[in-house]
């Protein structure tokens, strides 16, 4: 079975600064997807960024980028130029490669952006 | 609005009540999921339906009973719940074109359930 571990329950960052959220996972699969989701107080689970395991290049989406280390099974999220609207719970998630398969989530990291 | 709608948004029920949670998706997805989100715990997968067929039941107590009458609707029927069942219940849907094709995965806003 796959597991996802987020070791930072809470983090804070000053507005306009950069913050990195950590995620490690365990799987025997070689092909899979990794995700970062954001959950603001509205409870809506919003996809931030996605990485396909077969791609060596790290995914980027505007201010969000990942550091994907497949051998180390590590998948960290870097948020640059942090904004107040980035305040939310962030969840790392794993999904196997084929068909409709469930997401496996970590416990989440609560990020607070401070003005 | 994400295309996945959950009702009600909030629900308070007694331990002897029977209630149902509803999820509806208008995205043409062919799989739907129920997740339970409790404080300080990872989201827990409860049930998976692929093409209206239940393909996974993640050791969920029988006081939770899912129903998927068609690929657009998913229900979670609740009866004789316990206070520890209080949580946010999230519905999601997905569409996979086939092995290796990127899956589109969308969540609803959840139902906040309180059992008293």
């Amino acid at each position: 079975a796959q597991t996802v571990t987020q070791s930072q329950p809470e983090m804070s960052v000053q507005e306009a600064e950069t913050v990195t959220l950590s995620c490690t996972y365990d799987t025997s699969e070689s092909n899979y997807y990794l995700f970062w989701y954001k959950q603001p107080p509205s409870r809506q689970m919003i996809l931030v960024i996605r990485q396909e395991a077969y791609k060596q290049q790290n995914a980027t989406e505007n201010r969000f980028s990942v550091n994907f280390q497949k051998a180390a099974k590590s998948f960290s999220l870097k948020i640059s130029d942090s904004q107040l609207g980035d305040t939310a719970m962030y969840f790392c998630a794993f999904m196997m490669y084929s068909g409709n398969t469930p997401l496996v989530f970590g416990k989440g990291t609560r990020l607070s952006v401070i003005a | 609005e994400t295309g996945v709608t959950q009702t009600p948004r909030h629900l308070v029920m007694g331990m002897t009540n029977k209630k149902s949670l509803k999820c509806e998706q208008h995205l043409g997805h062919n799989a739907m999921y129920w997740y339970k989100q409790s404080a300080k715990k990872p989201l827990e997968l409860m049930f998976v339906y692929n093409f209206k067929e239940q393909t996974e039941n993640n050791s969920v107590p029988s006081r939770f009973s899912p129903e998927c009458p068609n690929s657009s609707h998913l229900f979670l029927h609740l009866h004789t719940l316990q206070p520890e069942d209080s949580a946010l219940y999230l519905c999601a849907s997905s569409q996979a074109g086939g092995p290796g094709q990127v899956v589109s995965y969308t969540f609803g806003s959840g139902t906040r359930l309180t059992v008293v």
Side-chain angles (χ1 to χ4, degrees):
Chain A
Q2 290 76 26
T3 60
V4 177
T5 302
Q6 294 179 250
S7 58
Q8 305 152 314
E10 294 187 25
M11 294 190 73
S12 61
V13 62
Q14 292 286 334
E15 198 175 6
E17 296 295 310
T18 295
V19 64
T20 299
L21 309 183
S22 301
C23 172
T24 58
Y25 59 95
D26 189 25
T27 183
S28 57
E29 302 286 327
S30 57
N31 291 318
Y32 47 86
Y33 297 105
L34 294 165
F35 304 84
W36 279 97
Y37 279 88
K38 168 185 176 181
Q39 189 181 39
S42 67
R43 306 180 332 204
Q44 187 66 57
M45 200 70 85
I46 301 165
L47 177 65
V48 175
I49 199 163
R50 173 178 56 214
Q51 175 82 41
E52 287 94 328
Y54 70 86
K55 290 186 177 178
Q56 293 186 339
Q57 187 173 8
N58 289 325
T60 62
E61 286 287 341
N62 301 314
R63 299 183 293 108
F64 300 88
S65 62
V66 298
N67 183 3
F68 173 48
Q69 302 289 328
K70 190 172 184 179
K73 296 181 181 175
S74 170
F75 183 61
S76 62
L77 174 70
K78 185 171 82 171
I79 306 174
S80 304
D81 185 26
S82 297
Q83 300 175 0
L84 296 177
D86 295 333
T87 294
M89 283 290 291
Y90 285 82
F91 293 94
C92 180
F94 171 99
M95 188 175 71
M96 290 195 291
Y97 201 53
S98 62
N100 285 312
T101 58
L103 290 166
V104 177
F105 287 89
K107 288 187 178 181
T109 297
R110 183 175 301 281
L111 177 67
S112 299
V113 180
I114 303 165
Chain B
E1 184 59 52
T2 65
V4 177
T5 304
Q6 288 188 245
T7 54
R9 191 163 170 79
H10 301 273
L11 178 62
V12 179
M13 61 184 288
M15 288 189 284
T16 58
N17 290 160
K18 289 185 181 181
K19 296 286 184 183
S20 295
L21 309 185
K22 180 182 177 182
C23 177
E24 188 172 357
Q25 59 98 0
H26 304 285
L27 302 169
H29 289 176
N30 52 24
M32 297 185 78
Y33 311 80
W34 280 116
Y35 285 87
K36 176 183 178 182
Q37 185 177 17
S38 306
K40 299 183 181 178
K41 294 173 88 173
L43 274 79
E44 301 169 61
L45 178 69
M46 300 177 73
F47 301 104
V48 181
Y49 279 83
N50 265 295
F51 296 97
K52 301 187 300 177
E53 298 297 320
Q54 185 174 314
T55 55
E56 193 158 342
N57 175 340
N58 212 25
S59 302
V60 180
S62 60
R63 58 186 184 269
F64 294 92
S65 174
E67 179 190 1
C68 189
N70 54 62
S71 58
S72 298
H73 293 86
L74 183 65
F75 295 90
L76 187 62
H77 303 300
L78 316 171
H79 63 98
T80 59
L81 294 192
Q82 303 298 310
E84 59 265 27
D85 297 323
S86 299
L88 180 69
Y89 288 84
L90 287 167
C91 173
S93 67
S94 70
Q95 176 71 33
Q101 291 194 314
V102 175
V103 176
S104 174
Y105 216 104
T106 307
F107 284 86
S109 297
T111 294
R112 174 73 65 190
L113 174 66
T114 304
V115 181
V116 296

